[in-house]
Amino acid sequence: MFFHLQRLCIITLAIWLTACSSSMPPRQTPPSAPPTKPATSGPANTAPTPANNNPAANGAIMGGPKVINIDPKPETTGNPTDGIDPNTPLETSVTPKLEPIVKGTTKPYIVNGETMTPMTEVSTPFTQTGHASWYGKKFHGRRTASGEPYDMFKLTAAHRTLPIPSYVRITNLSNGKTIMARVNDRGPFGRDRIIDLSYAAAKQLDIIRHGSAQVEVSLIDPTQQTQPSTPPVASNASPQANAAPAAASSSALTTLEAGGIYVQVGAFGQEENADRLHQRIFTTLPETQSLLNKVYNGKTFQIVLGPYPDHALAAQAASQMRDKLQLPALIFSR
């Protein structure tokens, strides 16, 4: 009897445990707290991330620098001059002047992961050597970083960090041609270039056909510009008689002989800057004393080495200037 009663109790307990395990709901959040959904459910992932991690529509990070991602493709696959009227008048000169810097253009920004820190004032000397390209009709009329519309027929340029606006002297190192242009835009981006020129600027420097050229870019301080006190030199007058420099020079002006081969290593609006380069070259390479010339062409003071009897010796001197003094060297014939 006891055995049957014990067996009945065991069977009853087993049935009761089975019923509990199959019908009891899982452990719930106490009623006083609202139930939370698992992290894997759809609605939980739609909550926005903090604002300082959200890129804004213009590529900026809230509270951080503007971010720009550029696809480095050429402006056009065809002839970039197609559709440009060759008879359109081009601006031929600009006069550097003090202008207020556009405040919004002084903030750091990031392009393809590289941080750019623009200059907040015109600070000279600033000289940069590298490749220049030009941009034309695709951007004509579009707004520049300065807020002005881009005019491809004016002498303007785009630079990554120079003040906007500011003025630069650009020299094509392959042919010696020099212009002044007004920087009013940012760029170039996505390519190995240091400056983007307007169509007018590129035309005067003769780089339209090739599309790019090795140039030297020098920032101009408008407050330091000197002007000759006499009219430009006449064709039958010597540079010495008409230069009228503002201050006494430490090296005399010379006249280049016709028929010689020369190497230009600098061109300056201020004579004292030319004198400093003249002295630097002489101090470093005193053997060049008899070949050093300071020439005034009516606009700039040039430091020139020569004459050399042949191109090979001139090329050797140019290499020496680049290697030992990191100077841009341009070979030309007189």
Side-chain angles (χ1 to χ4, degrees), residues 234-279:
S235 58
N236 60 349
S238 66
Q240 296 94 321
N242 294 276
S249 61
S250 61
S251 56
L253 290 169
T254 58
T255 303
L256 302 182
E257 300 176 9
I261 301 176
Y262 296 88
V263 178
Q264 178 181 303
V265 292
F268 305 91
Q270 290 183 280
E271 187 175 11
E272 52 265 38
N273 291 336
D275 287 331
R276 278 195 286 268
L277 178 58
H278 189 285
Q279 183 62 41

Side-chain angles (χ1 to χ4, degrees), residues 207-233:
I207 69 171
I208 293 293
R209 183 164 55 91
H210 296 290
S212 66
Q214 186 81 356
V215 300
E216 180 185 73
V217 177
S218 298
L219 180 62
I220 297 172
D221 183 350
T223 65
Q224 299 297 320
Q225 289 295 291
T226 57
Q227 300 293 333
S229 58
T230 59
V233 295

